[in-house]
Amino acid sequence: MLKKERMNRILSIAPQKQLLITDPCALFYLLGEWFYPGERFLGLIIHENEKPVLIINSLFHAGEDDQIEMVYYSDTDRINEILKKYIHEDEALGVDKIMPARFLIPMIKEKLASSFELGSEAVDFTRAVKDEEEIALMRKSSEINDQAMAQFKGLIHEGVTEKEAASKIMDIYLSLGAEGFSFEPIVAFGKNAADPHHMPDDTVVKEGDAVLFDVGCRYHGYCSDMTRTFFYKKGPSKEAENVYNLVRRANEEAEKMLKPGIPFCEVDKKARDIITAGGYGEYFTHRLGHFIGVEDHEYGDVSLANTRKSEAGNIHSIEPGIYCPEVLGCRIEDLVLITEDGYEVLNKYPHDIEIID
Amino acid sequence: MLKKERMNRILSIAPQKQLLITDPCALFYLLGEWFYPGERFLGLIIHENEKPVLIINSLFHAGEDDQIEMVYYSDTDRINEILKKYIHEDEALGVDKIMPARFLIPMIKEKLASSFELGSEAVDFTRAVKDEEEIALMRKSSEINDQAMAQFKGLIHEGVTEKEAASKIMDIYLSLGAEGFSFEPIVAFGKNAADPHHMPDDTVVKEGDAVLFDVGCRYHGYCSDMTRTFFYKKGPSKEAENVYNLVRRANEEAEKMLKPGIPFCEVDKKARDIITAGGYGEYFTHRLGHFIGVEDHEYGDVSLANTRKSEAGNIHSIEPGIYCPEVLGCRIEDLVLITEDGYEVLNKYPHDIEIID
């Protein structure tokens, strides 16, 4: 089950010689298997020229693999006693950015390594460049999301609430072959679309409302994520139409400039400049995009602060939005893949204004 | 929004004078509001005789409250610079057990406090004793779960898969007034019930199968959690019936002994002894119960290792099970509240063997 090439790519760029990987997403990336250890410890120790060691509670099952040493423990064992056998105490240890304090503080107090460092950058940089297997799954996940979006419109009818519409989304994803959500879907009607993190509530749809779906599914573990803003029963007001077209242009112009070597901050700036020139700069309150893969938000973003450059294999969102509190909101989001000589938009669902009847 | 009495209970038992609370569940417990900060920092600093400080990204909204100092920051701010203003550097700091390394390691390296300790025990002990407001919500959450269980049986029919049945559970919960799941539901048919952590898959139900539902919902943030094991079309085999009755007896005898002052290990032992005397001791592979509240698994458990004593206000599961791999599995789980002079079983759904037709 070990994806050895991915592990070697990580070790080749890690500043530490040993890493302790506990993030379930990073473990899935390396082992092709999901573990849900809950509050129990589950970790993979990787070290140059040594067999990786998976430390796992005996309540859980892992596939057999000769490439990995499996160490099972029980609820009565002390984790540090087991870790000590495999962590080199005279070397720095890189740990995941999400490793919880309940494991980390005891490890530090008992000096299991010479120092403790954030070690997941190497994992994150590796994960940010998708291999062929991953690209195929990401394409399929977004293809399902496109098909699903066409069906989500059908959930909107007289009297429906955001929560009711949201409660049907899972069934549509499952019927299309997805495993579930990549994140809790956002369904926002009217003014609610002005909150980029709105959670579906009991708001009932009204004629003329914007109907925003920010949704994604998982396919073989890989996430999709797309936003479209429709209108219910009648077209947008003059202002809403103007906002929609600005957001659309920001999305499309930013996408057009994508290719390896372009700094992410320039892509964000492109979209932001368009929205600012249109008079809504202060209402575009978040970064233009985030990386995505096994997680819906992965390390790496498309923001003014990120001066790193695009690489072939990067997959991220392009999601400009305009949010005028208590008035209106609009977001158009696609996932894009950076290719050797340009880009591929993974979402084919159109950007045109659509009215739901 | 601040629940001041809960905060004061925490500070009165914390070994540290200052705590940094980042766990969304603990924040909900203290503030009555859910925050979903994702990868962004969000934390509440509490300190005896000082106004609590909520440090929050300006992308998110928090209700106004004079009892709290609100500190908004933006994505370009350095978190440690802000934390420094509010953390006393000459005192130990207690942090949440789930605080991620990406915040903790930089805080340690920049010496924001004199030492860093696991500080959430005080929060956890406080949360383990529910107040009246919480007890009312927990009762209602389990009442919905009882009503829902009666409907889940209706999901099982010729040709249905575990995944299909599981996909309908959310709608039933929502229609009964719940907000969603307290955890991903387990639906297990036949031999799959022998895996206590089974995830619903494409297995189709067969005549004579056990049909196990381990399910829970949320009501105003508070979790329910119950397991029932039904049989499809015909009653259990002789062995399955024997196993069922053992598990039922273990559940009911353990519940009967509950009252303040009983060590949790004795409750576990009671159930385990019954199952062992019945010849299935080695197949009861997990602890008897876990605490529950704002989270489906909270600090505290009913296990042989826990010598602490029950207190009025504790709410936990009682969930004996027998798991014979590749043969059969059975679990019967209720939530129980410890009262001043005994106990109250929050789940009223009966324990009798039921056949789904």
Side-chain angles (χ1 to χ4, degrees), chain A residues 194-218:
Chain A
D195 174 3
H197 294 97
H198 180 72
M199 298 304 282
D201 63 21
D202 296 323
T203 303
V204 175
V205 71
K206 296 189 315 296
E207 191 172 306
D209 269 355
V211 173
L212 182 151
F213 285 98
D214 185 348
V215 289
C217 63
R218 274 180 189 277

mmCIF file of all heavy atoms in Angstrom, chain A residues 194-218:
data_model
loop_
_atom_site.group_PDB
_atom_site.id
_atom_site.type_symbol
_atom_site.label_atom_id
_atom_site.label_comp_id
_atom_site.label_asym_id
_atom_site.label_seq_id
_atom_site.Cartn_x
_atom_site.Cartn_y
_atom_site.Cartn_z
ATOM 1 N N ALA A 194 -24.041 37.055 0.836
ATOM 2 C CA ALA A 194 -23.036 38.068 1.169
ATOM 3 C C ALA A 194 -22.102 37.614 2.292
ATOM 4 O O ALA A 194 -21.144 38.291 2.614
ATOM 5 C CB ALA A 194 -23.716 39.385 1.560
ATOM 6 N N ASP A 195 -22.405 36.449 2.896
ATOM 7 C CA ASP A 195 -21.499 35.882 3.901
ATOM 8 C C ASP A 195 -20.763 34.706 3.268
ATOM 9 O O ASP A 195 -21.364 33.662 3.017
ATOM 10 C CB ASP A 195 -22.300 35.427 5.128
ATOM 11 C CG ASP A 195 -21.427 34.697 6.143
ATOM 12 O OD1 ASP A 195 -20.195 34.596 5.924
ATOM 13 O OD2 ASP A 195 -21.978 34.213 7.150
ATOM 14 N N PRO A 196 -19.442 34.869 3.017
ATOM 15 C CA PRO A 196 -18.728 33.789 2.311
ATOM 16 C C PRO A 196 -18.718 32.462 3.071
ATOM 17 O O PRO A 196 -18.499 31.421 2.462
ATOM 18 C CB PRO A 196 -17.316 34.335 2.123
ATOM 19 C CG PRO A 196 -17.217 35.583 2.919
ATOM 20 C CD PRO A 196 -18.592 36.048 3.260
ATOM 21 N N HIS A 197 -18.972 32.491 4.391
ATOM 22 C CA HIS A 197 -18.976 31.243 5.169
ATOM 23 C C HIS A 197 -20.374 30.886 5.667
ATOM 24 O O HIS A 197 -20.526 30.182 6.663
ATOM 25 C CB HIS A 197 -18.016 31.350 6.359
ATOM 26 C CG HIS A 197 -16.585 31.453 5.940
ATOM 27 N ND1 HIS A 197 -15.929 32.653 5.836
ATOM 28 C CD2 HIS A 197 -15.707 30.513 5.545
ATOM 29 C CE1 HIS A 197 -14.702 32.441 5.411
ATOM 30 N NE2 HIS A 197 -14.533 31.155 5.242
ATOM 31 N N HIS A 198 -21.391 31.373 4.999
ATOM 32 C CA HIS A 198 -22.770 31.117 5.440
ATOM 33 C C HIS A 198 -23.063 29.615 5.541
ATOM 34 O O HIS A 198 -22.722 28.837 4.667
ATOM 35 C CB HIS A 198 -23.739 31.751 4.447
ATOM 36 C CG HIS A 198 -25.175 31.542 4.804
ATOM 37 N ND1 HIS A 198 -25.775 32.182 5.863
ATOM 38 C CD2 HIS A 198 -26.133 30.737 4.269
ATOM 39 C CE1 HIS A 198 -27.033 31.792 5.951
ATOM 40 N NE2 HIS A 198 -27.277 30.913 4.996
ATOM 41 N N MET A 199 -23.720 29.214 6.635
ATOM 42 C CA MET A 199 -24.178 27.832 6.763
ATOM 43 C C MET A 199 -25.678 27.804 6.462
ATOM 44 O O MET A 199 -26.419 28.682 6.911
ATOM 45 C CB MET A 199 -23.957 27.311 8.187
ATOM 46 C CG MET A 199 -22.497 27.262 8.626
ATOM 47 S SD MET A 199 -21.424 26.298 7.521
ATOM 48 C CE MET A 199 -21.836 24.614 8.030
ATOM 49 N N PRO A 200 -26.143 26.779 5.721
ATOM 50 C CA PRO A 200 -27.563 26.719 5.341
ATOM 51 C C PRO A 200 -28.457 26.835 6.570
ATOM 52 O O PRO A 200 -28.227 26.166 7.579
ATOM 53 C CB PRO A 200 -27.701 25.330 4.702
ATOM 54 C CG PRO A 200 -26.337 24.989 4.211
ATOM 55 C CD PRO A 200 -25.388 25.622 5.178
ATOM 56 N N ASP A 201 -29.469 27.703 6.491
ATOM 57 C CA ASP A 201 -30.395 27.861 7.610
ATOM 58 C C ASP A 201 -31.839 27.762 7.114
ATOM 59 O O ASP A 201 -32.087 27.194 6.046
ATOM 60 C CB ASP A 201 -30.100 29.161 8.367
ATOM 61 C CG ASP A 201 -30.315 30.401 7.515
ATOM 62 O OD1 ASP A 201 -31.040 30.327 6.501
ATOM 63 O OD2 ASP A 201 -29.754 31.456 7.868
ATOM 64 N N ASP A 202 -32.773 28.309 7.866
ATOM 65 C CA ASP A 202 -34.187 28.141 7.521
ATOM 66 C C ASP A 202 -34.719 29.229 6.587
ATOM 67 O O ASP A 202 -35.933 29.349 6.394
ATOM 68 C CB ASP A 202 -35.023 28.085 8.814
ATOM 69 C CG ASP A 202 -34.659 26.856 9.647
ATOM 70 O OD1 ASP A 202 -34.392 25.799 9.043
ATOM 71 O OD2 ASP A 202 -34.621 26.960 10.884
ATOM 72 N N THR A 203 -33.825 29.999 5.995
ATOM 73 C CA THR A 203 -34.252 31.025 5.036
ATOM 74 C C THR A 203 -34.973 30.371 3.853
ATOM 75 O O THR A 203 -34.498 29.386 3.294
ATOM 76 C CB THR A 203 -33.020 31.796 4.513
ATOM 77 O OG1 THR A 203 -32.326 32.358 5.623
ATOM 78 C CG2 THR A 203 -33.416 32.884 3.539
ATOM 79 N N VAL A 204 -36.129 30.933 3.487
ATOM 80 C CA VAL A 204 -36.906 30.436 2.345
ATOM 81 C C VAL A 204 -36.535 31.253 1.109
ATOM 82 O O VAL A 204 -36.331 32.461 1.193
ATOM 83 C CB VAL A 204 -38.420 30.576 2.659
ATOM 84 C CG1 VAL A 204 -39.266 30.177 1.451
ATOM 85 C CG2 VAL A 204 -38.788 29.733 3.876
ATOM 86 N N VAL A 205 -36.449 30.583 -0.041
ATOM 87 C CA VAL A 205 -36.067 31.284 -1.274
ATOM 88 C C VAL A 205 -37.186 32.236 -1.711
ATOM 89 O O VAL A 205 -38.372 31.937 -1.537
ATOM 90 C CB VAL A 205 -35.733 30.258 -2.388
ATOM 91 C CG1 VAL A 205 -36.973 29.559 -2.898
ATOM 92 C CG2 VAL A 205 -34.949 30.920 -3.517
ATOM 93 N N LYS A 206 -36.802 33.397 -2.252
ATOM 94 C CA LYS A 206 -37.768 34.390 -2.743
ATOM 95 C C LYS A 206 -37.441 34.749 -4.192
ATOM 96 O O LYS A 206 -36.273 34.720 -4.601
ATOM 97 C CB LYS A 206 -37.680 35.687 -1.919
ATOM 98 C CG LYS A 206 -38.049 35.569 -0.465
ATOM 99 C CD LYS A 206 -38.128 36.962 0.194
ATOM 100 C CE LYS A 206 -36.957 37.879 -0.156
ATOM 101 N NZ LYS A 206 -35.629 37.430 0.299
ATOM 102 N N GLU A 207 -38.437 35.136 -4.912
ATOM 103 C CA GLU A 207 -38.246 35.555 -6.292
ATOM 104 C C GLU A 207 -37.184 36.653 -6.351
ATOM 105 O O GLU A 207 -37.201 37.587 -5.551
ATOM 106 C CB GLU A 207 -39.581 36.084 -6.840
ATOM 107 C CG GLU A 207 -39.541 36.297 -8.341
ATOM 108 C CD GLU A 207 -40.928 36.643 -8.903
ATOM 109 O OE1 GLU A 207 -41.873 35.875 -8.647
ATOM 110 O OE2 GLU A 207 -41.037 37.681 -9.568
ATOM 111 N N GLY A 208 -36.252 36.499 -7.297
ATOM 112 C CA GLY A 208 -35.202 37.501 -7.463
ATOM 113 C C GLY A 208 -33.958 37.225 -6.633
ATOM 114 O O GLY A 208 -32.928 37.872 -6.817
ATOM 115 N N ASP A 209 -34.046 36.255 -5.729
ATOM 116 C CA ASP A 209 -32.883 35.914 -4.890
ATOM 117 C C ASP A 209 -31.720 35.380 -5.718
ATOM 118 O O ASP A 209 -31.929 34.630 -6.685
ATOM 119 C CB ASP A 209 -33.245 34.783 -3.899
ATOM 120 C CG ASP A 209 -33.766 35.313 -2.575
ATOM 121 O OD1 ASP A 209 -33.758 36.541 -2.380
ATOM 122 O OD2 ASP A 209 -34.180 34.476 -1.744
ATOM 123 N N ALA A 210 -30.518 35.714 -5.302
ATOM 124 C CA ALA A 210 -29.360 34.934 -5.736
ATOM 125 C C ALA A 210 -29.448 33.580 -5.033
ATOM 126 O O ALA A 210 -29.938 33.492 -3.901
ATOM 127 C CB ALA A 210 -28.075 35.638 -5.339
ATOM 128 N N VAL A 211 -29.015 32.516 -5.707
ATOM 129 C CA VAL A 211 -28.994 31.165 -5.120
ATOM 130 C C VAL A 211 -27.579 30.647 -5.308
ATOM 131 O O VAL A 211 -27.180 30.278 -6.413
ATOM 132 C CB VAL A 211 -30.010 30.238 -5.815
ATOM 133 C CG1 VAL A 211 -29.858 28.813 -5.310
ATOM 134 C CG2 VAL A 211 -31.435 30.746 -5.599
ATOM 135 N N LEU A 212 -26.810 30.690 -4.223
ATOM 136 C CA LEU A 212 -25.398 30.338 -4.318
ATOM 137 C C LEU A 212 -25.168 28.922 -3.792
ATOM 138 O O LEU A 212 -25.598 28.578 -2.692
ATOM 139 C CB LEU A 212 -24.575 31.363 -3.527
ATOM 140 C CG LEU A 212 -23.054 31.205 -3.546
ATOM 141 C CD1 LEU A 212 -22.378 32.575 -3.377
ATOM 142 C CD2 LEU A 212 -22.556 30.267 -2.462
ATOM 143 N N PHE A 213 -24.527 28.098 -4.618
ATOM 144 C CA PHE A 213 -24.097 26.762 -4.203
ATOM 145 C C PHE A 213 -22.572 26.728 -4.201
ATOM 146 O O PHE A 213 -21.956 26.915 -5.255
ATOM 147 C CB PHE A 213 -24.573 25.688 -5.189
ATOM 148 C CG PHE A 213 -26.030 25.338 -5.112
ATOM 149 C CD1 PHE A 213 -26.936 25.903 -5.993
ATOM 150 C CD2 PHE A 213 -26.482 24.422 -4.173
ATOM 151 C CE1 PHE A 213 -28.281 25.560 -5.934
ATOM 152 C CE2 PHE A 213 -27.823 24.074 -4.101
ATOM 153 C CZ PHE A 213 -28.729 24.646 -4.985
ATOM 154 N N ASP A 214 -21.990 26.482 -3.035
ATOM 155 C CA ASP A 214 -20.545 26.261 -2.954
ATOM 156 C C ASP A 214 -20.401 24.835 -2.444
ATOM 157 O O ASP A 214 -20.652 24.559 -1.265
ATOM 158 C CB ASP A 214 -19.897 27.268 -2.004
ATOM 159 C CG ASP A 214 -18.375 27.148 -1.980
ATOM 160 O OD1 ASP A 214 -17.823 26.160 -2.519
ATOM 161 O OD2 ASP A 214 -17.735 28.046 -1.396
ATOM 162 N N VAL A 215 -20.037 23.929 -3.338
ATOM 163 C CA VAL A 215 -20.208 22.496 -3.074
ATOM 164 C C VAL A 215 -19.042 21.682 -3.613
ATOM 165 O O VAL A 215 -18.355 22.095 -4.544
ATOM 166 C CB VAL A 215 -21.504 21.997 -3.757
ATOM 167 C CG1 VAL A 215 -22.746 22.521 -3.050
ATOM 168 C CG2 VAL A 215 -21.528 22.395 -5.220
ATOM 169 N N GLY A 216 -18.854 20.534 -3.017
ATOM 170 C CA GLY A 216 -17.819 19.634 -3.513
ATOM 171 C C GLY A 216 -18.027 18.233 -2.998
ATOM 172 O O GLY A 216 -18.646 18.034 -1.951
ATOM 173 N N CYS A 217 -17.505 17.280 -3.749
ATOM 174 C CA CYS A 217 -17.636 15.870 -3.352
ATOM 175 C C CYS A 217 -16.251 15.237 -3.331
ATOM 176 O O CYS A 217 -15.247 15.875 -3.659
ATOM 177 C CB CYS A 217 -18.549 15.139 -4.328
ATOM 178 S SG CYS A 217 -17.919 15.064 -6.020
ATOM 179 N N ARG A 218 -16.227 13.981 -2.920
ATOM 180 C CA ARG A 218 -14.993 13.198 -2.922
ATOM 181 C C ARG A 218 -15.147 12.019 -3.864
ATOM 182 O O ARG A 218 -16.174 11.345 -3.851
ATOM 183 C CB ARG A 218 -14.742 12.586 -1.544
ATOM 184 C CG ARG A 218 -14.038 13.477 -0.622
ATOM 185 C CD ARG A 218 -13.845 12.789 0.715
ATOM 186 N NE ARG A 218 -13.339 13.759 1.636
ATOM 187 C CZ ARG A 218 -12.040 14.091 1.742
ATOM 188 N NH1 ARG A 218 -11.135 13.466 1.018
ATOM 189 N NH2 ARG A 218 -11.665 15.014 2.569
#
